[in-house]
Each structure stands twice: as C-alpha cells, then as structure tokens.
Amino acid sequence: MLIRPVDRKEFVERTFPHTYSYMVYREGDVYYAKDGVTGSVEFSDVDAVNVIQYAIDKVNVLGGGRVLLKRGTYVVGKTISIKSNVIVEGEGSDVTILRGSSTSFGTVIDIDSQSNIVVRGLTIDKGGTQTLGDIWNNMSLSCENSNFVLIENVVVKNSPNYAMVFGGRKDARIFDTPYAPCNYVEVRRCKIINSYKDGIHFFGGKNIVIEDNYFEHLVDDAIALGADVNYPVDNVLIRGNIVIDSGFKWTNGLKLHSGWNNTSTPASNIFNNIVITDNIFVEVAQYGFTISLENPNYPVSDMSQNIIVDNNILKNAFINSVKNLVFRGNNVVYNVVVTPKAFYIDSYTGASNITISGNFVGGVIAVPGYPGVESGILNMIAIVGNVARKIDINSPANLVTVVGNTLFPGDDNNVRVAGLPNSPPTNVVVSFNVADGGNVDWNNFIAGYEGGAKVANRVMFIGNIGVNAKNYTIASNPNSTEIYAIFNHGNKPLYVTGDIRLFKNPVYVTERSDVAVIPINSTRVTVSHNLAKTPTKVLITPLGAPPGKLWVENITATSFDIVTDTAPTADLKVAWYAEV
C-alpha cells in the first residue's frame, strides 16, 4: 500500500508563523538579512550566499522558521546549505532567481542529513551548457540522508549535471561510495529546463511523491529511480508529470534502474509499491517508461514488484525483471515490450504476474524471446482488452492469456505465438479477440512460423474473429504441438498442419450432418459436404426402408455420392454425417 508523506500544508502552518523569520533582499550589489521580528537588518554582504546562509543558520538555531528571499537576482558562487526546520521561499519562480556565477563551483542548494525542509517559489539557473556533463557533483539541487522534504514551485534551468538529485553519493565518481537515501520527499509543480543529466533522480528512498512537474529539453532521463539491494525504493507516487522536446538519444520519461554499487548479492525486490499515473512521456528519444538492469556485477531476479502504470501517454514502454505489474489504460504511441532480456547488458532476468489491459498501443505489444533462454522465464502474463497493431508472444513465456483485444492492420500477423524450438511459448490462450489484417497482414492468428523454425506448444485459439488476412485466419506450422482451434470465425480459411485439433470453427468446418434424397427411379445422389477438406469418415442412415444396399463412394474435397443398387419407387431420404 502506498504510504504518502505528511500533509505539508498542515505541517507548515503548525510549525512556522505565517510571516517570515528572516527576509533576504538585494539593493544594488549588496545583500541584506532582516530579522522578521525586530525588523532590523542584522547582516549584509556583497556575497549573496553568505547572507542567505546567515539567515538559514539563524532560523535553524531558533528552532525553525521561514527565510523569505525577496524578488531579485541572487548571484551564487558557492553552495547554500539548507538546515532542519527551515522554509526557504522566494516570492515566485519568475521573480526570485538564484543565478550561478560559474558552472564549476558545485551544487547550488544542498540538503545534507536534515529534516523538515521546504524550498519553493524560486528559480535556480546554473548557467551551464550541455557540454559540461563530465563535471561530477555539479547539481542544481542535491539532497542526501534527509527526511520530510518538500520542493515546490521551483524552476531549475541550465543545469550541467543533475537538476535535482536525492540520495546520491558524496563522490559520484567512486562506485563503492554508498547511497544516502532521502525519505518522505515531495517534488511538486516544478519546472526543469535544459538539464544535461537527469531532471529528478532518486538513489534509494521511501515514501516519495513526484507530482505535476514539467520537463523540457533534457539530455538524459526526466525522472529516474535508482536502487540496489542495500538501498531500495519503496512507496512512490509519480503523477501528472509532462516531458516535452527531449529527444536526445539517452532520454526516457521515467526509468527504474538498478544501481552501480559493486556487490554480488542478488538484487531482488529493490523497487516496491510504485504508482505511475496520468503522466505524459511522449517527446523522448527512447521510452516513456522503462524498467531496466544496468549493473552487470550482480544477478537480478524480480527486481521490481507491485508496480501500477495507469492512464499515461507514453512513447514506448520497455519492461523486464518485474513481479506483479499492472499496465492499464495507457495510450502508447509505439510499442510495449515485456522481455526477459535486460536493457543495457546481455542478461536475462525474467518477469511474472503481469497484466496489460485497456491500453491503446499504436504499435506492437511484444513479449520477445532470445536464443538460449530457458523455458518459462516469463510467467503468468495477461494481455486483455487492448487496442494494438499486433500482439507478439515470441519468447519462452508460460501461462499467457491474450483475451478480448482489438487488432488493427499492420505488416505481419495480428497475433503471433512462436519461439525457438528449445524454449517455445507454452500454455497460451488466445480468445475472443477481433483482428483485422487489412489485406496486408499475413495471418490473423498464428502458432509458430518460418517454416517450422519458430514453434509453439499447447496454444488454444478460442472464439476469435479474424478478417481481411492476406493468407489465413488461423495458421499453424508442422512443428508446433497441441494447437487447438475452437469456435473461431473469419473470411479466410485455416492453414492446418502438424498437431492441431479443430472443433466448431465456421471458417474451418470439420464436421457436418444433413439429409440427402435419392430421387425416385434413381440409384445415387451427390452431396456437397462443405467441409474444410476431404472427409475421412462418412456415415449414412436411411430414413425409411431402403430397396437394397446403400454405400458411399467418390469422396472428394467438395462432395461424395450416396449410392444404392436398387432404385427406390419413391424418394428415399438418407441422413448423413461427415468429418475430416
């Protein structure tokens, strides 16, 4: 269950007065700190940071309060350290601006081992360019080992590194340096523009809200959550965020990734209880949403669990190493990929208990496979009620249901279930789907393909409707096993080879019965059986006393003859049953 941080408004009104404790303002090239109680100016300096830091330290010593930064531009050449129980608030992000005097001095705002912090209503303009990404620890806002933090209505511009980072290492160049996670953090209604690295990045942490933020022109990920076995990410709400104009080659809207700490400990369940809803992650280079493995130093199994991705607009989605995922009600411009293969390295991680439902997918819902992967690495996947161009189960998946989807024309097969012979998809139900091949897709539904190079095992096609396939409504190749087709319909035939069992498919009739009539003074009648192919069994029963012997001959793909050796003296009705 998602645990939300404390109500920040209630906390602020209870803890701090409505007026400022200290006010910082600028006149000419001099900055002043005024006591909010006495009204006297206590400190002034030509260095803005010295004055702001003086006010923060005084409020912290007094037990808490509000530092108001009046409208103006504050030239910042070193780090401002926010202390516990302090609100740092500008008069608005359009009028209170912290502008870096250079891009190389370090972080503008740092929150280190503190609690009960609010930063809001101001702009941080680091003045960096996207050529300065090699400068470590050069963030706009950094928070480490702190709790109960609210960042609200803050604009971050031109950050040469991370715009906002929470829980990062003290020295990001050393992989063994531990994380310093932050808990009970909210980032709301912020804008991040022109950032070389990630917009908002959490390394570990619990009880996090990232809501209603705006990202524009990023080189790396808009939102990234990093975790490892020692520093998990738990209980997160990511809602209402928008990313635009961020088409650089590394950019994702939201990425959940394993960390880089060197350890051989398996990293199970390092992301837990995460809700991702009502976001727009379209104008990105790679994926609107991705779960990915990035550390080759340790194995990962079920890296994430209890993830809900709901009602988002995404460019693509790439998902691996997850347990208990619900992906529903999203509008995906291109593809949704659920795979055992890790994103960045050649590792196979698995996924299980996944529901993909009620989405509109402009491309393919894919469960792709890779050579040499053991069977069953993807388990219990339900693909239900989506609209998509194609559903491709091309992996060692086990226990898969594809139900109630609508497939529109693409360039291949509407629904394909196929994998390598040593690791085929197994135990798959494809039922009550509607597929339109648009006369361009080869088949509406297929089990196995490529002349037997890809196969499937134990697949049931039930109650599907396929139209306008280029070749067949349902096809199966000779090396697939235990393929069942029941109550399916389409305007193209079925292609039946190998181990396939058929029953009551209007598009592929396997059995029929009717009554034929041998006319008076005739010895035979030709019956058109309308079966899918030449019947292997024909049974006849006269409905009256026959004048002599009756038998069947001339059985073909379209008809057979019922013959008697003695012509009847009145029309003779004969019941018949035929099956292929």
Side-chain angles (χ1 to χ4, degrees):
M1 173 133 183
L2 186 69
I3 301 174
R4 294 198 47 169
V6 296
D7 187 308
R8 189 60 53 183
K9 184 174 184 294
E10 178 185 342
F11 163 76
V12 170
E13 291 179 351
R14 184 179 69 245
T15 309
F16 305 120
H18 289 286
T19 58
Y20 59 85
S21 303
Y22 274 81
M23 180 175 70
V24 177
Y25 62 96
R26 177 180 181 175
E27 288 184 356
D29 293 330
V30 181
Y31 302 90
Y32 300 89
K34 178 189 288 189
D35 188 312
V37 176
T38 65
S40 62
V41 175
E42 290 190 359
F43 183 74
S44 64
D45 202 316
V46 295
D47 188 322
V49 174
N50 290 342
V51 178
I52 296 170
Q53 195 65 60
Y54 174 87
I56 290 171
D57 293 345
K58 290 286 289 189
V59 170
N60 171 251
V61 169
L62 293 172
R66 175 172 173 247
V67 174
L68 174 64
L69 303 183
K70 291 289 287 183
R71 65 179 57 213
T73 299
Y74 297 78
V75 179
V76 177
K78 55 189 177 184
T79 299
I80 301 168
S81 297
I82 312 295
K83 303 295 180 63
S84 292
N85 304 316
V86 175
I87 298 173
V88 176
E89 182 173 3
E91 289 193 306
S93 59
D94 56 337
V95 295
T96 299
I97 300 169
L98 305 180
R99 177 162 292 153
S101 61
S102 70
T103 59
S104 59
F105 67 82
T107 300
V108 176
I109 291 179
D110 183 58
I111 305 167
D112 187 353
S113 303
Q114 306 297 317
S115 63
N116 301 326
I117 302 292
V118 178
V119 179
R120 66 182 170 207
L122 53 85
T123 289
I124 304 171
D125 187 349
K126 195 68 164 62
T129 66
Q130 295 177 352
T131 62
L132 296 176
D134 58 340
I135 298 178
W136 294 92
N137 293 325
N138 193 12
M139 280 73 77
S140 294
L141 186 150
S142 178
C143 182
E144 310 93 25
N145 193 36
S146 297
N147 300 310
F148 299 103
V149 176
L150 170 64
I151 311 297
E152 183 178 42
N153 294 322
V154 171
V155 175
V156 178
K157 300 169 67 175
N158 305 316
S159 185
N161 206 305
Y162 296 106
M164 297 184 187
V165 62
F166 299 84
R169 305 176 180 87
K170 288 298 183 184
D171 190 339
R173 292 166 294 187
I174 303 174
F175 283 164
D176 287 330
T177 304
Y179 293 159
C182 299
N183 305 311
Y184 298 96
V185 177
E186 299 183 34
V187 182
R188 297 178 184 271
R189 294 179 291 279
C190 295
K191 291 183 179 180
I192 297 176
I193 303 169
N194 295 334
S195 177
Y196 181 81
K197 292 288 288 182
D198 298 342
I200 298 173
H201 197 130
F202 278 81
F203 294 94
K206 298 179 180 179
N207 306 321
I208 297 164
V209 176
I210 303 171
E211 186 173 38
D212 295 333
N213 301 287
Y214 172 90
F215 304 84
E216 180 179 346
H217 199 212
L218 306 186
V219 172
D220 215 326
D221 305 315
I223 301 171
L225 306 180
D228 68 20
V229 65
N230 297 313
Y231 305 99
V233 170
D234 295 334
N235 306 333
V236 180
L237 173 64
I238 299 173
R239 179 169 61 193
N241 302 282
I242 299 175
V243 180
I244 71 166
D245 190 25
S246 296
F248 197 77
K249 63 180 180 180
W250 296 321
T251 308
N252 298 287
L254 168 63
K255 180 170 70 176
L256 278 57
H257 69 94
S258 60
W260 281 99
N261 281 351
N262 291 326
T263 175
S264 59
T265 305
S268 298
N269 304 330
I270 61 176
F271 294 100
N272 302 284
N273 309 326
I274 297 176
V275 176
I276 301 153
T277 183
D278 298 326
N279 302 282
I280 301 175
F281 297 146
V282 175
E283 295 184 22
V284 296
Q286 294 194 90
Y287 296 96
F289 168 65
T290 179
I291 302 176
S292 66
L293 170 66
E294 297 187 18
N295 187 350
N297 296 314
Y298 55 65
V300 172
S301 177
D302 293 337
M303 185 175 79
S304 310
Q305 68 171 358
N306 306 333
I307 312 293
I308 296 176
V309 184
D310 176 73
N311 198 39
N312 303 280
I313 302 176
L314 308 171
K315 179 180 180 181
N316 290 301
F318 183 94
I319 301 162
N320 77 330
S321 191
V322 63
K323 181 179 182 180
N324 306 333
L325 168 74
V326 175
F327 189 95
R328 69 187 178 202
N330 301 284
N331 186 332
V332 183
V333 177
Y334 295 113
N335 304 314
V336 176
V337 180
V338 180
T339 173
K341 187 178 187 300
F343 187 29
Y344 286 102
I345 64 175
D346 192 21
S347 175
Y348 300 96
T349 57
S352 62
N353 303 339
I354 294 174
T355 300
I356 301 172
S357 66
N359 304 283
F360 177 86
V361 181
V364 179
I365 299 174
V367 185
Y370 298 88
V373 182
E374 294 182 0
S375 179
I377 201 166
L378 293 172
N379 290 291
M380 300 183 70
I381 300 174
I383 303 172
V384 181
N386 303 280
V387 177
R389 179 168 62 84
K390 176 181 178 181
I391 296 175
D392 191 6
I393 313 299
N394 183 23
S395 72
N398 181 46
L399 301 174
V400 180
T401 56
V402 180
V403 180
N405 301 280
T406 300
L407 292 310
F408 55 85
D411 57 2
D412 197 339
N413 302 284
N414 291 124
V415 176
R416 178 174 65 174
V417 183
L420 294 173
N422 65 334
S423 54
T426 303
N427 301 322
V428 180
V429 175
V430 180
S431 63
F432 304 111
N433 302 281
V434 177
D436 183 356
N439 297 313
V440 294
D441 288 309
W442 293 105
N443 307 287
N444 295 128
F445 306 93
I446 187 170
Y449 73 109
E450 293 180 1
K454 297 289 182 73
V455 301
N457 179 44
R458 203 170 301 118
V459 179
M460 301 186 73
F461 296 101
I462 306 173
N464 301 286
I465 297 175
V467 297
N468 302 324
K470 202 170 183 179
N471 292 332
Y472 302 102
T473 298
I474 296 178
S476 174
N477 77 8
N479 295 327
S480 295
T481 58
E482 295 187 51
I483 310 301
Y484 300 82
I486 305 169
F487 296 116
N488 300 284
H489 186 76
N491 63 352
K492 292 294 177 72
L494 273 63
Y495 179 74
V496 179
T497 61
D499 184 14
I500 185 167
R501 297 94 188 270
L502 303 148
F503 182 73
K504 299 292 185 183
N505 298 283
V507 69
Y508 192 92
V509 180
T510 57
E511 59 178 355
R512 278 198 70 210
S513 61
D514 206 342
V515 175
V517 177
I518 300 177
I520 184 173
N521 299 324
S522 178
T523 59
R524 71 176 53 232
V525 61
T526 298
V527 178
S528 296
H529 53 68
N530 295 319
L531 298 176
K533 60 181 182 178
T534 303
T536 59
K537 178 190 294 185
V538 179
L539 304 176
I540 56 174
T541 302
L543 302 179
K549 295 180 180 179
L550 289 172
W551 67 90
V552 176
E553 63 185 27
N554 299 330
I555 301 174
T556 69
T558 58
S559 64
F560 57 83
D561 291 340
I562 301 175
V563 183
T564 178
D565 59 358
T566 304
T569 58
D571 290 349
L572 176 63
K573 295 182 178 180
V574 180
W576 60 269
Y577 167 84
E579 67 179 40
V580 299

